[in-house]
Amino acid sequence: ETGVTQSPTHLIKTRGQQVTLRCSSQSGHNTVSWYQQALGQGPQFIFQYYREEENGRGNFPPRFSGLQFPNYSSELNVNALELDDSALYLCASSLGQFGTEAFFGQGTRLTVV
Amino acid sequence: QQQVKQSPQSLIVQKGGISIINCAYENTAFDYFPWYQQFPGKGPALLIAIRPDVSEKKEGRFTISFNKSAKQFSLHIMDSQPGDSATYFCAASINDSGGSNYKLTFGKGTLLTVNP
């Protein structure tokens, strides 16, 4: 059984650029959620995808967007990067829309300069 | 508005001691309360979780105590070990058929240090 994997592990971007982060869900899991974790803070929910459709969104602007693919892997896209977007981006997968435990990947550390 | 308040921010415990971390929530619709452990450079890992129909759940050295009327829950780590040194997050979510299921709302975290 493979766990949740994210790529890349680290990334440095310039303000105003666009970035795409990727996540492969745990085997058998069809729900993927994305979280932003600022330094010294708890993760904050960005959005969730279930069977390729967005299934809930947190308090993040539209420049944060995502996709889920038929194999349940997912992408997080952030446009017009701002300095405050610097954070650890976490992907979590779970089983089913009413699934139980969410299992997290190791995250992508994004630095915006 | 912070929906899940966690305390203390940091905690130092001697090896073999009991570590206690507390959380309070505001939204009475929350019905799933997990605790996550996070080591530096890693993603959070699920430690133990509880639903409001029980007041306590124990798994090995880890126990969740849940007080529905007070809207509080806590994590107890018995016989704390140096390897338990990590950041601990409480979280809460709503199993809402119309919304985002298991959208987790996290506390701000507690940095636990267990001295040898």
Side-chain angles (χ1 to χ4, degrees):
Chain A
E1 180 180 279
T2 58
V4 179
T5 57
Q6 293 185 241
S7 63
T9 55
H10 295 85
L11 201 53
I12 300 175
K13 288 287 189 178
T14 303
R15 188 172 50 182
Q17 285 187 316
Q18 178 266 344
V19 69
T20 298
L21 310 181
R22 294 178 174 83
C23 171
S24 293
S25 60
Q26 185 163 317
S27 178
H29 286 183
N30 55 14
T31 302
V32 173
S33 303
W34 286 91
Y35 291 80
Q36 180 195 66
Q37 186 177 20
L39 201 61
Q41 300 294 317
Q44 288 201 355
F45 177 77
I46 302 175
F47 43 57
Q48 182 182 84
Y49 279 86
Y50 170 66
R51 291 186 176 177
E52 302 178 56
E53 292 192 1
E54 186 176 295
N55 179 42
R57 188 179 184 91
N59 189 26
F60 281 82
R63 59 188 185 84
F64 285 78
S65 62
L67 283 173
Q68 187 178 33
F69 300 100
N71 66 354
Y72 303 131
S73 66
S74 178
E75 286 183 355
L76 164 65
N77 299 290
V78 187
N79 294 322
L81 283 167
E82 301 177 359
L83 297 179
D84 285 349
D85 295 334
S86 296
L88 180 68
Y89 287 86
L90 296 161
C91 167
S93 75
S94 55
L95 178 60
Q97 188 174 12
F98 304 101
T100 54
E101 297 92 348
F103 295 90
F104 284 83
Q106 82 284 2
T108 293
R109 172 69 63 186
L110 172 64
T111 302
V112 182
V113 297
Chain B
Q1 181 186 16
Q2 185 185 353
Q3 293 197 55
V4 179
K5 293 183 179 180
Q6 184 172 347
S7 63
Q9 188 173 359
S10 63
L11 180 62
I12 299 174
V13 174
Q14 291 300 118
K15 178 182 176 182
I18 303 174
S19 304
I20 301 174
I21 304 170
N22 301 298
C23 280
Y25 62 96
E26 298 167 5
N27 190 343
T28 55
F30 285 144
D31 63 357
Y32 175 66
F33 302 89
W35 284 90
Y36 283 84
Q37 178 189 59
Q38 187 176 30
F39 292 103
K42 302 291 186 182
L46 179 67
L47 204 55
I48 187 173
I50 198 168
R51 296 185 188 278
D53 53 344
V54 297
S55 60
E56 186 174 282
K57 182 175 181 180
K58 183 177 181 179
E59 290 185 0
R61 296 186 293 111
F62 301 93
T63 300
I64 298 180
S65 296
F66 185 80
N67 186 330
K68 188 174 182 178
S69 61
K71 294 187 288 184
Q72 295 176 347
F73 59 110
S74 61
L75 175 69
H76 295 229
I77 305 175
M78 312 299 287
D79 187 25
S80 298
Q81 299 297 312
D84 296 331
S85 297
T87 300
Y88 292 80
F89 293 95
C90 63
S93 71
I94 303 168
N95 185 10
D96 177 4
S97 61
S100 51
N101 298 295
Y102 296 100
K103 161 197 159 183
L104 294 165
T105 299
F106 283 84
K108 290 190 174 183
T110 297
L111 178 61
L112 172 65
T113 302
V114 181
N115 289 327

